[in-house]
Amino acid sequence: MKRDGKKICMIIGDPVEHSLSPVIHNGGYKALGIDKEYEYLMENVTPEDLKAFIQKVRDENILGVSCTIPHKETVIPCLDGIDETAKTIGAVNMIVNKNGTLQGNNTDWIGATRPLVKVCDLKGSSAAVIGAGGAGKAFVYGLTNAGCKVTVYNRTLENAKPLAIQFGCELRSLDDQDQIKNTDIICNTTSVGMDSDESPINKAYLNKNQVVFDAVYSPLETRLLKDAKEKGAQTIPGTEMLLHQAFAQFQLFTGKEAPQKAMRQALMEHLSER
Ligand code: ATR
């Protein structure tokens, strides 16, 4: 679709109005001086309307679509193909329209691993992934692929079994977390701590040798990250996951390298104005 002559990308979800993706992507277009050529929008698409929306992507030649909850799995049958990574993870978080062929990819695992690679060696490290939903799966995929020994911790053991089996991980109940004290990397992928002062991890198990990554980004510094900082651990906020999955999408949508600094700045400015 070319609205006012622009190539259109957009994020879909239900709800979607709080998405920060438009701010990040449009910030990137502006920084590269391609904001007259590209525009990134958002659209609330309900599960019932998903099929019709995908038809619109074809009819109006929309260039790219980022997918968030609840569409990451259900959109797969509507597409012409998905890449191996998305197949393994069982979810897509973006669709690229290549001359009418809709290809699904997954960049969430990139958002999970790139921020960690910047601060520690993944190969040979031990990692605790808290949670076994979509975000948990992206972390487990990325970390095991990079040579980390991953233990999945989940509130409901039964729900996490398929994930642990698929990736050959140890599995523990979230009530049984004392082994976290011997773990190099800790990743929270649950919503615990989102707009609350709760942490999924007992502070007693955090220490200065660890890297603690919280996928939650509201607040920017969650209770888990505050506790980790107080114990001297290295911390990574959820905005880094958001940014790194977006950098990868930006490249796949536009074919241009993402202007990372400008995209991060656009996000931070937006968050500080809220
Ligand atoms: P997403 O796709 O965003 O990761 P999800 O599929 O709903 O979201 O996954 C949520 C994950 O967070 C699950 O692992 C869930 O644990 P259960 O399997 O026990 O439901 C976990 N989770 C959600 N709320 C939680 C809470 N209050 N305490 C502990 N774990 C929680």
Side-chain angles (χ1 to χ4, degrees):
M1 172 172 58
K2 290 204 173 185
R3 255 177 226 169
D4 302 326
K6 287 181 179 177
K7 293 173 187 156
I8 298 296
C9 294
M10 59 173 68
I11 180 158
I12 60 161
D14 185 23
V16 80
E17 68 268 20
H18 297 298
S19 171
L20 297 167
S21 295
V23 169
I24 299 171
H25 284 265
N26 286 324
Y29 300 154
K30 207 166 171 201
L32 292 187
I34 54 171
D35 50 325
K36 298 236 166 7
E37 196 185 333
Y38 291 90
E39 186 170 4
Y40 191 105
L41 308 170
M42 63 164 82
E43 187 163 323
N44 200 99
V45 175
T46 64
E48 302 75 57
D49 289 341
L50 181 62
K51 252 188 159 164
F53 172 79
I54 293 298
Q55 191 54 47
K56 184 173 100 166
V57 173
R58 296 181 192 277
D59 293 344
E60 299 184 11
N61 200 22
I62 292 169
L63 172 64
V65 180
S66 309
C67 304
T68 188
I69 292 164
H71 304 311
K72 289 185 180 188
E73 291 162 17
T74 48
V75 78
I76 293 174
C78 308
L79 306 179
D80 300 312
I82 64 173
D83 73 350
E84 281 306 312
T85 305
K87 226 176 258 176
T88 306
I89 298 177
V92 308
N93 74 334
M94 63 170 292
I95 305 159
V96 191
N97 184 351
K98 285 183 185 148
N99 304 317
T101 301
L102 302 191
Q103 165 81 19
N105 297 307
N106 188 306
T107 65
D108 283 334
W109 71 277
I110 296 175
T113 48
R114 292 265 159 89
L116 283 166
V117 165
K118 281 183 166 182
V119 297
C120 61
D121 279 335
L122 294 183
K123 201 171 163 57
S125 294
S126 56
V129 173
I130 319 300
K137 208 166 178 184
F139 269 89
V140 171
Y141 172 85
L143 290 173
T144 52
N145 246 11
C148 253
K149 190 179 174 306
V150 176
T151 303
V152 176
Y153 289 80
N154 205 43
R155 175 179 61 180
T156 315
L157 271 182
E158 216 39 48
N159 293 349
K161 262 189 190 153
L163 174 63
I165 290 168
Q166 183 185 355
F167 292 96
C169 300
E170 202 181 319
L171 172 61
R172 287 177 186 267
S173 161
L174 197 47
D175 293 331
D176 169 25
Q177 45 176 263
D178 73 310
Q179 274 312 310
I180 287 182
K181 65 177 183 282
N182 299 318
T183 305
D184 303 317
I185 299 165
I186 298 158
C187 306
N188 174 41
T189 75
T190 74
S191 52
V192 179
M194 190 187 293
D195 300 320
S196 86
D197 197 39
E198 290 167 278
S199 168
I201 316 275
N202 187 327
K203 191 177 175 182
Y205 303 132
L206 303 176
N207 65 64
K208 65 175 173 27
N209 300 318
Q210 297 168 328
V211 178
V212 180
F213 189 173
D214 199 339
V216 172
Y217 58 79
S218 175
L220 263 181
E221 192 171 57
T222 57
R223 169 49 54 196
L224 169 61
L225 295 186
K226 280 183 186 149
D227 288 351
K229 240 183 207 171
E230 280 170 26
K231 288 294 191 98
Q234 204 156 358
T235 59
I236 304 174
T239 41
E240 287 304 306
M241 180 174 192
L242 195 61
L243 284 165
H244 280 272
Q245 61 79 28
F247 297 156
Q249 290 196 1
F250 187 97
Q251 224 250 321
L252 288 164
F253 287 150
T254 65
K256 299 175 199 303
E257 202 173 314
Q260 299 194 5
K261 208 172 150 197
M263 290 168 78
R264 178 175 284 108
Q265 196 180 336
L267 174 64
M268 291 310 165
E269 271 172 16
H270 176 83
L271 291 176
S272 70
E273 282 163 12
R274 283 208 305 198

